[in-house]
Amino acid sequence: MEFIENGGFAVYGCPSLSIPLLVSVPHAGREYPDILFRSLRLSRESLVRLEDRYADLLLRKIIGFGFPAIVAHSARAWIDLNRAESDIDVEMVRNAVAADYPPPGAKQRGGLGLIPRRLSDGGDIWKGQFELDDIQGRIASFHKPYHETIGDILQQMHKKFGIALLLDLHSMPPIRNVPQGDPPHFVIGDRFGQSSSSVFSELLIQQIQLAGYRAALNHPYSGEHILQRHGSPKRNIHALQLEVDRSLYLDSTLREPSILLPSITILLGNLVRALSDQALGSATLIAAE
């Protein structure tokens, strides 16, 4: 499989673009620049809690099948690719002016803005503030190229096939409490229909259930910046988020891969293949909705 390494992320399988589907994995990066460790108030081990632990390993079958993919190597603690460039907590950045940025959203108020600030039960992650030039450098060197690459690939797909589909792959801690019934193993997000046609969400739910797992739609995860930025159903460019319960492929500590990993990679490969077949077969139909 051909791939291109590009400043903190890798791109697989895109030279020929024979399939109108791109998989992105933005939160599984395990590369930590030294500046992060020098700035830490908490332990290095605590940063693992920000990772979608080994979610990139779930791509083995997907990449093997020839599906295009973009995978972040730089850690989420460095900068969160699933937040807008303007989602900066000004209290974290020396010389940042609050008036230059939009009011903080729910994620930033919870400590998970563009640069994660705090962990639940752990408090603030960093000893002090970062320089504004440093944050802008992270955006210019990693965040912006990652999104530009996604946008370019989706545009090429749309030009070639008349449709493009982005599947944004994440992993989640096991969901323990739900209002009724059993918690889901997978959560599909389409921003309540704003980032994708329901055809694809419904297909994912159906295929997951046929495989013997439980799935939920938009609760508790409906999708964030990546879906908002790249999904445009009216233009026949669709973006979905898929959250995978980590206990399905990690050990009891949720830190290392388990013997179940191969079976989940096969399932995800089958899900992506079903999505691609649906996209190829319904491009004209969806555009007319």
Side-chain angles (χ1 to χ4, degrees):
M1 173 58 63
E2 297 186 32
F3 74 95
I4 301 170
E5 191 72 32
N6 188 351
F9 62 91
V11 181
Y12 298 84
C14 287
S16 60
L17 286 181
S18 60
I19 303 162
L21 187 149
L22 173 68
V23 181
S24 68
V25 185
H27 284 166
R30 296 182 290 278
E31 294 179 357
Y32 292 88
D34 287 341
I35 186 176
L36 292 187
F37 294 140
R38 294 196 301 269
S39 304
L40 270 176
R41 186 185 73 83
L42 303 178
S43 67
R44 293 188 180 193
E45 185 69 12
S46 66
L47 295 181
V48 172
R49 293 172 55 190
L50 289 168
E51 295 177 10
D52 283 355
R53 189 66 170 170
Y54 290 120
D56 53 320
L57 299 187
L58 297 172
L59 288 182
R60 286 174 173 174
K61 283 293 182 182
I62 292 170
I63 291 174
F65 287 157
F67 287 94
I70 179 169
V71 182
H73 296 321
S74 293
R76 182 184 182 184
W78 177 245
I79 192 167
D80 192 335
L81 296 166
N82 206 21
R83 301 291 182 266
E85 295 178 13
S86 60
D87 194 6
I88 292 176
D89 185 335
V90 295
E91 294 183 3
M92 294 179 63
V93 184
R94 191 174 292 110
N95 299 324
V97 179
D100 292 339
Y101 301 94
K107 294 292 185 180
Q108 188 189 125
R109 292 195 299 272
L112 295 175
L114 183 67
I115 310 298
R117 177 176 181 174
R118 70 176 68 90
L119 294 172
S120 60
D121 302 325
D124 284 351
I125 299 170
W126 314 109
K127 294 176 183 176
Q129 294 177 305
F130 293 103
E131 297 293 336
L132 182 58
D133 286 348
D134 172 27
I135 304 303
Q136 291 173 337
R138 299 184 201 185
I139 293 171
S141 65
F142 179 45
H143 189 285
K144 187 174 181 179
Y146 189 88
H147 283 280
E148 288 179 343
T149 301
I150 289 177
D152 289 345
I153 293 170
L154 293 177
Q155 288 297 330
Q156 292 175 46
M157 288 178 172
H158 185 267
K159 182 177 180 180
K160 183 172 183 178
F161 298 101
I163 189 170
L165 180 59
L166 173 68
L167 182 66
D168 197 41
L169 182 62
H170 297 256
S171 69
M172 63 183 182
I175 298 173
R176 302 299 185 188
N177 299 308
V178 292
Q180 57 185 1
D182 295 320
H185 299 110
F186 297 86
V187 177
I188 297 102
D190 63 8
R191 295 185 61 83
F192 300 93
Q194 295 182 42
S195 68
S196 174
S197 166
S198 62
V199 168
F200 299 111
S201 302
E202 291 168 359
L203 177 63
L204 276 180
I205 291 173
Q206 178 191 55
Q207 293 297 312
I208 288 168
Q209 291 175 342
L210 285 173
Y213 296 93
R214 297 184 296 274
L217 179 62
N218 288 318
H219 294 288
Y221 306 107
S222 62
E224 292 292 334
H225 175 67
I226 290 175
L227 267 59
Q228 184 177 29
R229 176 166 179 167
H230 296 289
S232 181
K234 291 182 179 179
R235 296 175 52 228
N236 225 4
I237 299 176
H238 307 267
L240 294 165
Q241 178 175 284
L242 180 63
E243 295 272 3
V244 183
D245 184 335
R246 290 173 196 153
S247 68
L248 293 180
Y249 68 96
L250 297 180
D251 62 16
S252 60
T253 69
L254 301 182
R255 292 298 177 93
E256 298 299 327
S258 74
I259 60 173
L260 300 176
L261 174 65
S263 64
I264 300 303
T265 64
I266 291 171
L267 172 60
L268 290 179
N270 291 337
L271 293 178
V272 168
R273 180 176 283 168
L275 284 173
S276 178
D277 289 346
Q278 179 68 47
L280 285 168
S282 61
T284 304
L285 177 63
I286 293 173
E289 284 185 353

